[in-house]
Amino acid sequence: MSKQEDTSGNSPVHWRIMRWILWRFICAAGSRVLMDRSLRNKTGDETRWLRNDINFYLSAVSTRAALLRPLAQLGALPDFGSRLMVELAVYTVAADRTLRDSDLDPESARDALADIGWSVYRRLLAFSSLPARLVTSDPGKRLQWSIRGLLIFPFRLVGAPGYSAKVFREGEDIHTHFTHCPPQSFARRIADETGDHAALTGFANSWCKYDWPGADLIAADGHRGHYVRRRTLSAGDTVCDMCWAARAPRETSENNKVDGLRPTVRQTFES
């Protein structure tokens, strides 16, 4: 077992510090989103949470995350990036369960979870892609350089049980076909081992929907449609077949099957 983390919760100082920083970041996002949004309870009435409600919710999330963490098997993961992403998934599943156990309408709870996650994801992605966005105004280069950086950390392709993917280019577009995703594997394990199949649904409704606006955020050219994915691991497919499109298509259908993304010269730069 890795010295980084064991199932008893023992961990070195640097990992406990990182977890504390991550938790404070999540708390800030949760407070920001829940304070500013209208919620709907199970009777259909609109409501807003006050500061005490939010603090109680965050405390419950922290407690539940501690109970879920041993199931994450962090010590079996091969690198720090995988462990960090699964730690985020632990908080996602804990936050999802806590919202579902509250008096909120299930749809309102799912939407709140997705918005909290997006608040975290958007800031992390904006920070990691900042160098590329400062250096060039070309959306294709911004995507290529940012994705290359993300494939170094935190999505380093070390193979299962860490991240595993085939990465290649078609013209200006970059493709990342992931066949193993540790956070998704954790959410699926929770669903299977605890019978809480809604846990995977909550994960898919948040994590698996952020890449569309995330790609547009990186490209930063004022257009939508810089991301295409037809298959998803969380939906039971064998691959997340992601395409980060350098040029946004003029029209995008509901299922993302668009023209203008035809294969050109394929250049494999990592497998």
Side-chain angles (χ1 to χ4, degrees):
M1 182 171 292
S2 168
K3 295 180 180 179
Q4 186 72 30
E5 177 80 13
D6 63 36
T7 56
S8 68
N10 297 325
S11 55
V13 172
H14 76 275
W15 180 248
R16 292 199 298 269
I17 292 173
M18 177 58 69
R19 177 178 291 158
W20 182 85
I21 293 173
L22 187 63
W23 174 238
R24 299 318 304 170
F25 195 69
I26 292 170
C27 284
S31 297
R32 183 169 52 248
V33 170
L34 293 172
M35 184 64 71
D36 291 340
R37 71 175 289 126
S38 175
L39 301 167
R40 187 172 60 257
N41 61 30
K42 291 178 180 178
T43 64
D45 295 329
E46 296 293 322
T47 185
R48 289 185 181 274
W49 279 4
L50 302 178
R51 173 58 61 185
N52 286 343
D53 301 315
I54 296 172
N55 290 341
F56 180 82
Y57 164 72
L58 292 173
S59 177
V61 171
S62 180
T63 300
R64 179 156 275 163
L67 296 175
L68 289 170
R69 191 169 289 114
L71 297 176
Q73 301 175 8
L74 294 176
L77 296 172
D79 69 317
F80 182 79
S82 295
R83 287 189 288 269
L84 185 63
M85 291 297 100
V86 173
E87 180 73 12
L88 272 171
V90 168
Y91 284 120
T92 300
V93 173
D96 175 46
R97 281 188 170 184
T98 305
L99 283 169
R100 285 190 282 119
D101 287 348
S102 71
D103 66 344
L104 295 181
D105 170 78
E107 183 177 354
S108 183
R110 286 194 300 269
D111 290 344
L113 175 72
D115 284 352
I116 293 170
W118 172 244
S119 182
V120 174
Y121 181 89
R122 178 174 62 85
R123 283 166 172 77
L124 293 176
L125 193 61
F127 176 76
S128 64
S129 64
L130 180 60
R133 289 184 287 114
L134 289 176
V135 169
T136 179
S137 61
D138 183 278
K141 290 181 179 178
R142 285 174 169 175
L143 283 165
Q144 290 176 24
W145 296 348
S146 295
I147 298 304
R148 282 178 182 267
L150 290 169
L151 290 174
I152 295 173
F153 181 82
F155 306 113
R156 187 172 183 84
L157 304 180
V158 295
Y163 285 98
S164 181
K166 180 180 180 181
V167 184
F168 58 91
R169 283 176 52 188
E170 290 180 343
E172 293 183 286
D173 300 341
I174 181 171
H175 295 253
T176 56
H177 287 194
F178 279 86
T179 55
H180 195 270
C181 168
Q184 185 274 155
S185 296
F186 166 71
R188 185 174 295 279
R189 187 184 313 121
I190 292 295
D192 292 342
E193 294 184 4
T194 68
D196 182 13
H197 299 292
L200 184 58
T201 302
F203 176 88
N205 190 59
S206 52
W207 284 59
C208 299
K209 292 187 177 180
Y210 295 151
D211 289 322
W212 277 272
D216 298 332
L217 185 155
I218 295 172
D221 63 353
H223 298 289
R224 295 182 180 272
H226 288 281
Y227 181 79
V228 179
R229 188 181 72 231
R230 297 179 177 87
R231 292 177 289 171
T232 309
L233 291 169
S234 60
D237 296 318
T238 58
V239 65
C240 282
D241 55 350
M242 307 174 180
C243 172
W244 309 83
R247 312 297 164 192
R250 285 173 294 179
E251 296 181 1
T252 305
S253 65
E254 184 176 340
N255 65 0
N256 245 344
K257 294 181 179 179
V258 297
D259 293 328
L261 292 173
R262 304 300 185 203
T264 53
V265 178
R266 174 171 296 189
Q267 176 184 351
T268 301
F269 57 86
E270 188 167 358
S271 60

